[in-house]
Amino acid sequence: MLDIRLATETDRDAIWNIFHAVVAPGDTYAFNPRISREDALAYWFRADTHTYVAEEDGRVVGTYILKANQPSHGSHVANAAFMVAPDVQGSGVGRRMAEHCLAEARQLGFRAMQFNFVVSTNEGAIRLWKQLGFKIVGTLPGAFRHPQKGYVDVYVMFRSLL
Amino acid sequence: MLDIRLATETDRDAIWNIFHAVVAPGDTYAFNPRISREDALAYWFRADTHTYVAEEDGRVVGTYILKANQPSHGSHVANAAFMVAPDVQGSGVGRRMAEHCLAEARQLGFRAMQFNFVVSTNEGAIRLWKQLGFKIVGTLPGAFRHPQKGYVDVYVMFRSLL
């Protein structure tokens, strides 16, 4: 049973453990792989950000954030980011969180969702976003320096929520 | 004679006047049209941002910022934003600042430059960016709520600096 809910202060340790494990290899996100716990949690719990966790049998196994991608006249488009604990990746936690996120975004009144920086080598994520209705609407040539593969393209992905 | 140089503390009033005049109509940027002076200058002078002004006969007539578009493994791609005082728009100040910006970005070691949010109705800007070698690499459907035209597309524009 996966329970997806808003994060609380008591989830901070679990979120940091997942965040650190996901960004340390430096192959999927542009976060500094050596980002501090303080900076990571400050970003994940910003005032303008909705922060969620996915809990399975009392253990937080994933987390995501949902926010406006731009302020003001761009604030009708949502942005989100997802992280899943490495040992449960591939088990559907990411998909469940994404479905939850799309429903939350609709409920909050967003008209669309955009991912600004999907690294093209992150094939599992791209496949999942496509299955959930996202399209690649932009390609940023060589915009990510992959630690093993060098400069690789990055996709901008988008889907309407109407 | 247009002199383009790094901004200093004494330029803050002039920058705010330009910033306010440019964002108040709400038709080209996603900044809140009623953003406060404090918030605007905090954004324009962030620690990770290079801030420039264009001065003509002792008057600041334009300003731009240059920074990394993403941290860490995305930090080789620059991002920039430009603002020109309304009464001198169309006189080449924007083009001169953009050329200066491209040279500065090269000197700082950036490999490319990306604009994340070019409103499709801002035709003068788009024409200028194309003349300067930028290409539209992405289209965000209806991502900007134009105060007169409703939901309009937004472009992601990109050019290599190599």
Side-chain angles (χ1 to χ4, degrees), chain A residues 98-148:
Chain A
E99 289 166 346
H100 188 272
C101 178
L102 289 167
E104 288 286 295
R106 272 205 195 83
Q107 195 154 358
L108 290 165
F110 288 109
R111 297 170 59 93
M113 187 175 292
Q114 180 176 333
F115 302 141
N116 301 307
F117 206 81
V118 183
V119 177
S120 61
T121 51
N122 193 358
E123 291 170 12
I126 293 164
R127 194 164 46 238
L128 176 55
W129 304 147
K130 285 183 174 174
Q131 287 170 358
L132 292 173
F134 286 84
K135 287 197 166 61
I136 293 172
V137 296
T139 300
L140 314 173
F144 186 73
R145 187 166 52 79
H146 190 287
Q148 285 83 43

Side-chain angles (χ1 to χ4, degrees), chain A residues 81-107:
Chain A
F82 302 83
M83 294 190 178
V84 176
D87 65 302
V88 301
Q89 280 176 17
S91 71
V93 172
R95 176 186 300 267
R96 288 283 305 282
M97 289 200 298
E99 289 166 346
H100 188 272
C101 178
L102 289 167
E104 288 286 295
R106 272 205 195 83
Q107 195 154 358

Side-chain angles (χ1 to χ4, degrees), chain A:
Chain A
M1 279 297 299
L2 196 68
D3 177 36
I4 302 176
R5 56 168 175 80
L6 282 167
T8 69
E9 287 297 309
T10 60
D11 297 314
R12 291 171 71 90
D13 283 342
I15 289 173
W16 164 242
N17 287 339
I18 295 170
F19 192 106
H20 178 67
V22 168
V23 306
D27 57 352
T28 55
Y29 275 102
F31 291 112
N32 182 344
R34 293 175 302 285
I35 190 171
S36 70
R37 180 185 193 279
E38 184 185 355
D39 288 349
L41 291 175
Y43 178 84
W44 213 247
F45 279 93
R46 269 169 47 168
D48 59 0
T49 297
H50 304 265
T51 309
Y52 301 82
V53 291
E55 196 171 36
E56 193 167 44
D57 302 329
R59 175 193 168 206
V60 171
V61 292
T63 180
Y64 82 86
I65 57 173
L66 171 62
K67 59 192 174 70
N69 197 42
Q70 295 284 343
S72 193
H73 293 185
S75 64
H76 54 287
V77 178
N79 172 248
F82 302 83
M83 294 190 178
V84 176
D87 65 302
V88 301
Q89 280 176 17
S91 71
V93 172
R95 176 186 300 267
R96 288 283 305 282
M97 289 200 298
E99 289 166 346
H100 188 272
C101 178
L102 289 167
E104 288 286 295
R106 272 205 195 83
Q107 195 154 358
L108 290 165
F110 288 109
R111 297 170 59 93
M113 187 175 292
Q114 180 176 333
F115 302 141
N116 301 307
F117 206 81
V118 183
V119 177
S120 61
T121 51
N122 193 358
E123 291 170 12
I126 293 164
R127 194 164 46 238
L128 176 55
W129 304 147
K130 285 183 174 174
Q131 287 170 358
L132 292 173
F134 286 84
K135 287 197 166 61
I136 293 172
V137 296
T139 300
L140 314 173
F144 186 73
R145 187 166 52 79
H146 190 287
Q148 285 83 43
K149 298 173 183 171
Y151 294 103
V152 299
D153 292 351
V154 173
Y155 299 136
V156 180
M157 300 189 75
F158 193 97
R159 71 155 285 180
S160 172
L161 298 175
L162 303 179

